[in-house]
Structure formats: structure tokens, C-alpha cells
Amino acid sequence: MLTQQQLKENVAVAAIDYVLPYLKPDTIIGIGSGSTADLFIDQLAQFKSRFKGTVSSSERSTTRLQSHGIEVFDLNDISHVPVYIDGADEIDAGLHMIKGGGGALTREKIVASVADQFVCIADESKCVDYLGAFPLPVEIIPMAREAVARQMAALGGRPKLREGFTTDNGCQILDVAGLRITDPKALEARVNNIPGVVTCGLFAIAGAGVALISTQTGVEQRKPA
């Protein structure tokens, strides 16, 4: 029986095989955040001479990339990102995701939005029939904390401030438990429209184009159902 760490390591290797055809001397790829993305970065380092560099969705990933000698560019200076690689806290059969357990959801969503293709890398424990068992992160402007919390409670959630945490954008996060998300696109649009919300951790309106899922029998490539 493979451990979760071994499953993550396997999918990081599979992700390298997936992105190798994209790695050209002028290529800049997008890199996400989290423990699985960390493993992907470590694997990517051995191929750093093949491509120009990266754009990163968090200070954590930027530090790790630079420690390997991989150049990180400002997204404002980049016109083309062919592929973005990132993990997920939950993913359903439609490749809609909850992300943001590490707090980088806004920058992850920004980098994903400019990439030609979003590739989600995850182990099988992240696969669910319905999103919501993992509390939904909602990044908020601090002055709107209680106003947003009341609206999330009205939607059936149990919002809780992530104590002692500030995002790379200087904002706060409400983690909203108790949601069973049957229409992730509609909920994403509704939550994002609440005044004071920077963005929520639903990646459904623009979900992953492909998922690499690490299982006990190997890494499976999945497309939206």
C-alpha cells in the first residue's frame, strides 16, 4: 500500500512527463502552491536548462523555485503561459476544485486564468463526488470579515476566520465548513459577487482541463466528465 506521500511523489513525476513537450528555450510555465506542487518543483529542477522560467502563484513557491536556480518572472511581464501545474484540496469528476488550503487561492486563480491549459495534480484522496467536505476558503478584505461571514452563514456554511494568517495579498481568509456543493459554478459566481470577497477557493467556472490523479495502481489522466 502506497502512502499518501508516495502517491504525491508519483504524480509529481508523471506531471514532469506531461510538461516536457512544453519545455522550450523561450517557454515560461505557471507553477502552483502546496505540498504536491513543491514535489513537482523539485522534479522540475533537473530540467531547468530546457526552458526560460516560471510564473509563481505564491511566495512559498517562488522561494522554492529560486532555491533550485529556476527564474521566476512577474506575470505582468509575460504574454504567454502554455501550461499551469497545481494541486487541489478537492476535485470532482467535472474537474471542478476547491483550492486554497495553503492560502494562495487568489494568485493561483490569476495564474491559472492566463494559462492555455490548467493541469491539476493530486492523489486519489482528493477525489470526491461533491465538493464541500473540505472547508471552502474565501479570501476577504479585512473590514468585510463579519459582513461576508453573515452571507456565508445564510448560504448554509459555518465560516471561521483563519486565525493568525494573512495572505500574500495582505488579506484574511474565512474557511467555510458545512457546504455540500452541488452546483459549484453557480456558488463560485455568487460568493465572488459578495462585496468584500477577493475570490473564493472554488475553481469551477474555469476548472482544470486535465487532471493527473495518483492511485494505488498508477497515475490516471482524467478529463472533465
Side-chain angles (χ1 to χ4, degrees), residues 67-146:
S67 74
H68 285 298
I70 299 172
E71 189 166 0
V72 180
F73 292 86
D74 187 317
L75 185 62
N76 290 309
D77 298 327
I78 304 305
S79 60
H80 182 231
V81 179
V83 63
Y84 174 66
I85 306 290
D86 201 359
D89 297 303
E90 285 187 340
I91 185 168
D92 68 13
L95 305 194
H96 311 122
M97 296 162 286
I98 285 181
K99 294 174 49 56
L105 57 159
T106 298
R107 295 191 183 193
E108 289 170 346
K109 194 169 284 191
I110 291 169
V111 179
S113 74
V114 303
D116 295 342
Q117 183 177 196
F118 182 169
V119 180
C120 176
I121 57 174
D123 67 86
E124 60 188 356
S125 71
K126 307 299 175 63
C127 298
V128 297
D129 293 328
Y130 294 97
L131 302 174
F134 189 93
L136 176 66
V138 181
E139 185 165 352
I140 54 168
I141 302 298
M143 71 171 291
R145 181 185 66 243
E146 293 305 313

Side-chain angles (χ1 to χ4, degrees), residues 167-183:
T167 71
D168 289 344
N169 309 310
C171 297
Q172 296 177 322
I173 288 182
L174 290 173
D175 291 305
V176 185
L179 298 171
R180 187 175 187 271
I181 304 170
T182 57
D183 190 344

Side-chain angles (χ1 to χ4, degrees), residues 5 22-24 34 41 56 69 71 77 79 89 94 117 142-143 149 152-153 157-158 162 165 174 190 194 201 219 224:
Q5 180 66 20
Y22 293 94
L23 301 184
K24 311 294 183 186
I41 291 169
S56 167
E71 189 166 0
D77 298 327
S79 60
D89 297 303
Q117 183 177 196
M143 71 171 291
M152 294 308 302
R158 300 189 302 274
R162 193 176 296 185
F165 182 84
L174 290 173
R190 185 168 182 178
I194 297 172
V219 176

